[in-house]
Amino acid sequence: MQVRAALLEDMDLILDIHREAFGRELEGEIAQRIVADGDAVVSLFAGDRGHILLSEAKLSGGRVLAPGQIGVRPLSQRQGCGGLLVEQAVKEARGLGYDAIVLIGHPSYYPRFGFVPASQLGLKLPYDVPDGVAMALPLNDRCISGDVVFPKGLAGH
């Protein structure tokens, strides 16, 4: 499975993948809004099976990214597509000099990539969720902490 950068002309494919992955329009609309606002930092496809989008979140004294969406078509789930996208997005984020990736996610999925509860890094995410659901992946040895502000495209999500 080949991973490639998503392009603006891929918007229909982005919408289709997220619609199929989540069974509704919201996630695709969020991805579309982030891309349209110019806030996408990393946007990748795994064939036409999956898509990941990272955008910059705000943190005083640090540079962090937050997933706009990670979506994999149902027929391609549990086949390594999502993992491949996460791994490639992490590589790209490191290469761009970011300090961490923060997310609200499933506590049995993301730890395999090195994600830990955000509180362990001194980070507070903007949603009231259990500690193990608010996660962060440090990308370097830099010490960061504080309140994370998600991109405006994720507001209301």
Side-chain angles (χ1 to χ4, degrees), residues 13 17 26 37 41 78-80 85 98 123 128 131 141 143:
L13 181 55
I17 287 172
L26 176 64
D37 289 346
V41 174
R78 293 172 178 60
Q79 296 179 15
L85 285 166
Y98 282 88
L123 297 171
D128 186 23
D131 194 40
D141 292 333
C143 190

Side-chain angles (χ1 to χ4, degrees), residues 28-157:
E29 290 169 357
I30 290 169
Q32 184 177 34
R33 199 167 46 234
I34 290 169
V35 170
D37 289 346
D39 292 332
V41 174
V42 175
S43 184
L44 302 170
F45 282 113
D48 69 345
R49 301 182 199 185
H51 175 253
I52 189 169
L53 175 72
L54 300 177
S55 55
E56 192 163 340
K58 295 192 184 324
L59 175 69
S60 178
R63 295 182 67 218
V64 297
L65 291 171
Q69 295 304 329
I70 301 170
V72 176
R73 294 182 192 271
L75 291 177
S76 296
Q77 292 175 3
R78 293 172 178 60
Q79 296 179 15
C81 181
L84 183 63
L85 285 166
V86 171
E87 289 169 358
Q88 188 62 40
V90 167
K91 272 189 207 175
E92 300 242 349
R94 270 199 183 102
L96 293 168
Y98 282 88
D99 298 314
I101 297 173
V102 296
L103 57 79
I104 306 294
H106 203 284
S108 68
Y109 183 74
Y110 290 98
R112 73 184 76 178
F113 304 106
F115 283 84
V116 297
S119 62
Q120 286 184 13
L121 300 178
L123 297 171
K124 180 165 179 2
L125 276 55
Y127 300 105
D128 186 23
V129 295
D131 194 40
V133 174
M135 291 181 265
L137 172 68
L139 299 174
N140 56 40
D141 292 333
R142 192 160 174 234
C143 190
I144 57 172
S145 64
D147 291 344
V148 175
V149 178
F150 277 16
K152 64 183 179 217
L154 292 178
H157 177 352

